[in-house]
Amino acid sequence: MNKSPSGFTLIEMLVVISIIAIIAAFAVPTLQQALAKGQMTGTMNNARQFFLAGQQMALDGATNSDPNYAWPGDYTGSDAITSLEQYCSKLVSNGYLTTGDLQKLLNAPGANCTVNSTTDGNGVTTVTLTGKSGLKVYKIKEVDSSNTLFCVTSNYIYNTPLTATGAPYGEKGFVVMHKGGDAAVLRKNQATAANFGGDTNKFQSTVGKMSGDPDGTLQNSDAATALTNP
């Protein structure tokens, strides 16, 4: 009696390979989306820790009437803060974060930031940032409402569509952190008021407001409100 062949035929192997390729084509984008969402959640947690340090410093300043402890937009005159380096220097000098903390909090996939610092004889620390910070911080003030944006991921420009080249995360999404303490991971289709049918109030409720913006009024960019980002 003739024995049946125990191996696969060439056609059967090609069919199996084709099925695996089809499954992979569907699975890879899903896995990539899940990875990006996990990374953005990590960045959101970093933004929250950075915010908590800034919030505590501003709270202590308000409690003790000390102008050296404030929100980034409340420093005036020669003490006015215009860069992320200056604000980080305040947080480190006043003991709310360390240089090592900043090295962790300001980094995100595709946005690599190196943090260094020097401390003078009076205990004043100057932070130096090189590269690209994953977080963009705004000049918010004590008078701003709770849904004013404290910071966002650096790939997002307020009320502007995401771009594929924006770091971190490109068009995959962005993170927002509000002055009231709530944070969120948002999608590409939530980046502009146009995505909300032009409803500016709904957009502000979801994404947030820029410092000084009243309800229903939007800035088309955040260049004048953001601390300069290395």
Side-chain angles (χ1 to χ4, degrees):
M1 297 178 62
N2 295 328
K3 293 183 179 180
S4 299
S6 58
F8 289 104
T9 66
L10 178 59
I11 294 177
E12 289 172 333
M13 291 183 65
L14 291 174
V15 170
V16 171
I17 292 171
S18 298
I19 293 172
I20 293 173
I22 292 171
I23 293 173
F26 284 104
V28 169
T30 301
L31 291 174
Q32 289 176 335
Q33 290 174 3
L35 175 61
K37 182 66 178 294
Q39 290 173 330
M40 280 189 278
T41 299
T43 300
M44 180 180 69
N45 291 334
N46 288 343
R48 183 177 283 112
Q49 291 181 52
F50 191 88
F51 161 79
L52 289 173
Q55 180 192 47
Q56 188 60 56
M57 184 168 72
L59 179 62
D60 290 345
T63 301
N64 299 303
S65 299
D66 189 340
N68 192 48
Y69 296 69
W71 293 107
D74 284 329
Y75 293 94
T76 59
S78 60
D79 292 324
I81 289 179
T82 59
S83 72
L84 184 57
E85 284 183 327
Q86 290 174 305
Y87 186 52
C88 288
S89 296
K90 288 284 187 182
L91 290 168
V92 175
S93 291
N94 292 332
Y96 294 92
L97 287 174
T98 67
T99 303
D101 293 332
L102 291 170
Q103 184 65 53
K104 171 181 178 291
L105 300 180
L106 297 182
N107 275 276
N112 299 313
C113 184
T114 301
V115 183
N116 292 296
S117 65
T118 57
T119 303
D120 64 18
N122 296 318
V124 177
T125 299
T126 300
V127 172
T128 302
L129 306 177
T130 55
K132 176 73 172 180
S133 170
L135 296 177
K136 176 166 55 176
V137 180
Y138 296 109
K139 303 172 188 176
I140 67 167
K141 301 179 179 181
E142 177 63 34
V143 296
D144 289 324
S145 60
S146 61
N147 71 326
T148 302
L149 287 170
F150 172 77
C151 70
V152 299
T153 43
S154 296
N155 63 320
Y156 182 54
I157 298 173
Y158 190 68
N159 195 28
T160 303
L162 298 181
T163 63
T165 57
Y169 305 121
E171 294 180 307
K172 296 174 183 176
F174 60 104
V175 172
V176 297
M177 180 76 227
H178 300 115
K179 181 173 177 278
D182 59 301
V185 174
L186 300 179
R187 302 184 301 275
K188 174 183 177 180
N189 63 0
Q190 295 175 302
T192 68
N195 295 134
F196 292 84
D199 188 333
T200 54
N201 287 305
K202 189 174 181 180
F203 171 76
Q204 288 177 326
S205 177
T206 302
V207 175
K209 297 196 297 187
M210 286 284 93
S211 178
D213 280 359
D215 290 341
T217 300
L218 302 179
Q219 297 182 33
N220 291 321
S221 176
D222 56 19
T225 312
L227 298 177
T228 55
N229 188 343

